[in-house]
């Protein structure tokens, strides 16, 4: 079965960096685009970034553009989110999600999430 | 930017009631819309994609409709296990971007 397991969250000071990982299994990782989605405590969902199946195309939400970098290692079936210049408003649970390959892409599997807290 | 407005923000209904949640786009988005369910303390779950296609394994009491600017998620007969927050999500292709609605919290009366 499909499994997505995030790691790397924690407490970090404003302005510092953190790298999240998402290890995937149970499907052909090299076939699917992968996403990061976040949810601030008690708030709604916010899409963060996507990386194409081959890692060649990456897109970001305006709120993280220039600070966050998404990447993937297909040999390890892992997707990453490098987060730099972190701000208090980046505090959230970060989920990785697999893209459903249809005409209108949606997210059919989600990890359990990893909590990032930005605080001094 | 195309804005999404989801309504209501919360609702309370009885078991067996028909429940409708609406998502409205500020411009036409074809059928580029999905619906998700997030139960308290749980991970979001895909219910509907392409506005009206039921994801595999999702109960048939859930249905989606609409195209263009107005979209609806309907729960045909509300069950206790449907207590959750529901989100719409739009997809824009140029550049690729996904935007969630504000969410609708559904409770049992």
């Amino acid at each position: 079965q499909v499994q997505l397991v995030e790691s790397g969250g924690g407490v970090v000071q404003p302005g510092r960096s953190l790298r999240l990982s998402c290890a995937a299994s149970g499907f052909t990782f090299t076939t699917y685009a992968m996403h990061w989605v976040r949810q601030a405590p008690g708030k709604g969902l916010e899409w963060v970034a996507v990386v194409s199946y081959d890692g060649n195309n990456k897109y970001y939400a305006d709120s993280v553009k220039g600070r966050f970098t998404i990447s993937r290692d297909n040999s390890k079936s892992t997707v990453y989110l490098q987060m730099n210049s972190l701000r208090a408003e980046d505090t959230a649970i970060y989920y990785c999600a697999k893209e459903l390959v249809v005409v209108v892409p949606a997210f059919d599997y989600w990890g359990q999430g990893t909590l990032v807290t930005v605080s001094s | 930017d195309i804005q999404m407005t989801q309504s209501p923000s919360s609702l309370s209904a009885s078991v067996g009631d028909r429940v409708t949640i609406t998502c409205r786009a500020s411009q036409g988005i074809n059928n580029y819309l999905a619906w998700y369910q997030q139960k308290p303390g749980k991970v979001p779950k895909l219910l509907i994609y392409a506005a009206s296609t039921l994801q595999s394994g999702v109960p048939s009491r859930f249905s989606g409709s609409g195209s263009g600017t107005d979209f609806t998620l309907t729960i045909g007969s509300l069950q206790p296990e449907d207590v959750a927050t529901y989100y719409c999500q739009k997809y824009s292709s140029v550049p690729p971007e996904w935007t969630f609605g504000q969410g609708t919290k559904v409770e049992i009366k």
Side-chain angles (χ1 to χ4, degrees):
Chain A
Q1 71 280 22
V2 173
Q3 277 198 308
L4 300 171
V5 180
E6 301 94 337
S7 61
V11 180
V12 61
Q13 293 178 328
R16 303 298 291 264
S17 299
L18 206 60
R19 189 177 85 153
L20 307 182
S21 300
C22 170
S25 60
F27 64 101
T28 306
F29 184 73
T30 54
T31 304
Y32 296 93
M34 296 294 295
H35 297 253
W36 287 96
V37 177
R38 68 184 181 183
Q39 186 169 34
K43 303 296 185 183
L45 301 168
E46 180 187 16
W47 173 76
V48 172
V50 60
V51 60
S52 60
Y53 70 98
D54 58 4
N56 288 338
N57 296 293
K58 305 169 186 180
Y59 299 94
Y60 301 90
D62 287 344
S63 58
V64 306
K65 205 171 291 183
R67 301 187 299 123
F68 289 13
T69 301
I70 190 171
S71 62
R72 65 191 293 159
D73 185 338
N74 282 349
S75 68
K76 296 181 179 179
S77 296
T78 300
V79 61
Y80 303 98
L81 186 68
Q82 176 68 43
M83 304 185 295
N84 298 332
S85 303
L86 282 161
R87 306 167 179 168
E89 54 265 35
D90 296 319
T91 294
I93 297 172
Y94 285 74
Y95 299 102
C96 72
K98 169 187 168 290
E99 185 174 294
L100 176 64
V101 181
V102 290
V103 174
V104 183
F107 309 157
D108 59 347
Y109 288 94
W110 298 60
Q112 290 300 308
T114 186
L115 177 62
V116 173
T117 303
V118 183
S119 174
S120 53
Chain B
D1 278 3
I2 300 175
Q3 304 302 313
M4 301 299 293
T5 303
Q6 188 174 340
S7 61
S9 57
S10 65
L11 66 88
S12 182
S14 299
V15 172
D17 281 355
R18 183 180 181 89
V19 169
T20 298
I21 299 168
T22 297
C23 207
R24 175 165 290 172
S26 57
Q27 300 174 43
I29 59 170
N30 297 305
N31 67 336
Y32 294 174
L33 194 96
W35 291 96
Y36 296 84
Q37 175 195 64
Q38 187 177 31
K39 295 183 178 181
K42 299 297 185 182
V43 172
K45 174 186 176 182
L46 176 64
L47 298 176
I48 303 279
Y49 61 90
S52 60
T53 303
L54 194 68
Q55 170 67 345
S56 174
V58 174
S60 59
R61 63 180 180 275
F62 291 94
S63 64
S65 64
S67 184
T69 60
D70 294 311
F71 300 87
T72 299
L73 173 70
T74 299
I75 307 174
S77 176
L78 186 67
Q79 300 301 304
E81 60 265 33
D82 299 335
V83 169
T85 299
Y86 293 83
Y87 294 93
C88 64
Q89 177 202 47
K90 80 159 177 70
Y91 164 69
S92 302
S93 57
V94 183
E97 180 181 75
W98 289 258
T99 307
F100 290 92
Q102 301 90 330
T104 296
K105 187 173 184 180
V106 173
E107 298 177 323
I108 300 292
K109 194 181 293 182

